[in-house]
Amino acid sequence: MWRATILTLFPEMFPGPLGLSLAGDALARGVWELETRQIREHGIGRHRAVDDTPAGGGPGMVMRADVLAAAVDAAAPADDPRPRLLMSPRGRPLTQRRVRHLARGPGAMILCARFEGVDERIIAARGLEEVSIGDYILSGGEIAALALMDACVRLLPGVMGEELSGQEESFEDGLLEYPQYTRPRDFEGREIPEVLLSGDHGEIAKWRRAEAVKLTRARRPDLLARKED
Ligand code: SAH
């Protein structure tokens, strides 16, 4: 079973949207498991402090390495084979390739930071892999963790209705997806491309491929460049 353990100051945010639809059904069926751990349980003193002012000055607060180490050690002992992720805008941007790899593995331990982030020393001390979900700043790692888990869980065996629908999507072959259409045939004067109504599966596949390449070249030339690597 694929197991996610989330370290957070806001366990109430989980499973949140992952309790619904495909991911929620799979959670209820035991295809995957979601455990949340309250970082504050490892906080310091009467107030269970988890953060302190930044060394060297500056705005905001930084999450303490000692508190986070205790939380990580309680959640994932040294022999836990799962990767230990830290949601972080400084991390390597998440890709479908990394998602696929994570989905094939035993799960993940995911540390969600808040405030200005974490004391740098926890990253090396507990072998955390920093993962970003894009070049923008969220107020905490929880929504990033939900996005990462959603992407993984839909790939687990038995989660998506039609296995094939996972195969032909954007990024799976380094291309964005071709345009999709459904009924009605005429929508406000806009027609479905003739070839899609032809029943000629060879021609349809050719058209889709050409559209995917055209779209990728126009919008994400970086994907085509990467594909040729
Ligand atoms: N001061 C930090 C941002 C802190 S945002 C900086 O400038 O880099 C607070 C927390 O939200 C982060 O520590 C991280 O856990 C999470 N977070 C914010 N943006 C994110 C992103 N794009 N991807 C993943 N996690 C993110």
Side-chain angles (χ1 to χ4, degrees):
M1 186 202 305
W2 198 85
R3 284 180 51 234
T5 299
I6 310 290
L7 275 53
T8 173
L9 291 171
F10 299 99
E12 310 88 326
M13 289 192 183
F14 300 88
L18 298 186
L20 305 169
S21 191
L22 291 179
D25 293 344
L27 190 58
R29 284 188 285 122
V31 174
W32 67 295
E33 187 184 288
L34 177 58
E35 176 196 24
T36 53
R37 298 267 189 152
Q38 172 55 273
I39 295 169
R40 200 167 293 284
E41 281 174 18
H42 304 276
I44 307 285
R46 200 158 51 86
H47 295 292
R48 297 252 168 240
V50 297
D51 57 344
D52 210 325
T53 53
M61 299 292 271
V62 174
M63 296 184 82
R64 293 175 59 123
D66 51 357
V67 171
L68 293 176
V72 169
D73 293 344
D79 61 353
D80 191 319
R82 295 175 299 166
R84 299 162 168 204
L85 312 181
L86 168 63
M87 302 320 296
S88 160
R90 301 190 328 186
R92 183 188 290 242
L94 188 62
T95 60
Q96 189 64 18
R97 174 198 279 257
R98 182 76 185 106
V99 164
R100 220 170 239 297
H101 192 84
L102 285 170
R104 274 198 222 106
M109 190 220 76
I110 308 176
L111 177 54
C112 302
R114 284 265 152 180
F115 321 119
E116 292 310 315
V118 302
D119 184 311
E120 186 71 20
R121 295 170 292 180
I122 188 63
I123 298 171
R126 290 299 178 275
L128 305 182
E129 173 191 342
E130 293 180 79
V131 179
S132 166
I133 65 159
D135 292 342
Y136 43 83
I137 305 293
L138 302 166
S139 46
E142 289 78 10
I143 289 176
L146 286 167
L148 180 145
M149 287 191 291
D150 181 275
C152 290
V153 165
R154 62 192 289 286
L155 296 181
L156 300 177
V159 173
M160 271 196 302
E162 253 181 289
E163 294 298 326
L164 243 187
S165 66
Q167 302 286 311
E168 288 190 0
E169 285 171 318
S170 291
F171 308 120
E172 291 294 340
D173 55 0
L175 294 174
L176 299 177
E177 197 181 54
Y178 48 80
Q180 300 270 21
Y181 300 86
T182 185
R183 280 184 276 274
R185 186 168 173 164
D186 180 315
F187 167 65
E188 298 182 349
R190 297 165 194 266
E191 300 271 342
I192 295 177
E194 201 56 48
V195 58
L196 297 179
L197 307 170
S198 68
D200 183 335
H201 295 294
E203 280 305 306
I204 291 172
K206 233 160 65 191
W207 180 87
R208 284 180 167 167
R209 171 108 198 142
E211 288 293 312
V213 170
K214 202 161 77 188
L215 208 70
T216 310
R217 188 164 292 134
R219 294 188 188 174
R220 294 293 305 277
D222 58 302
L223 291 179
L224 288 177
R226 216 179 299 163
K227 189 175 159 63
E228 279 146 24
D229 277 353

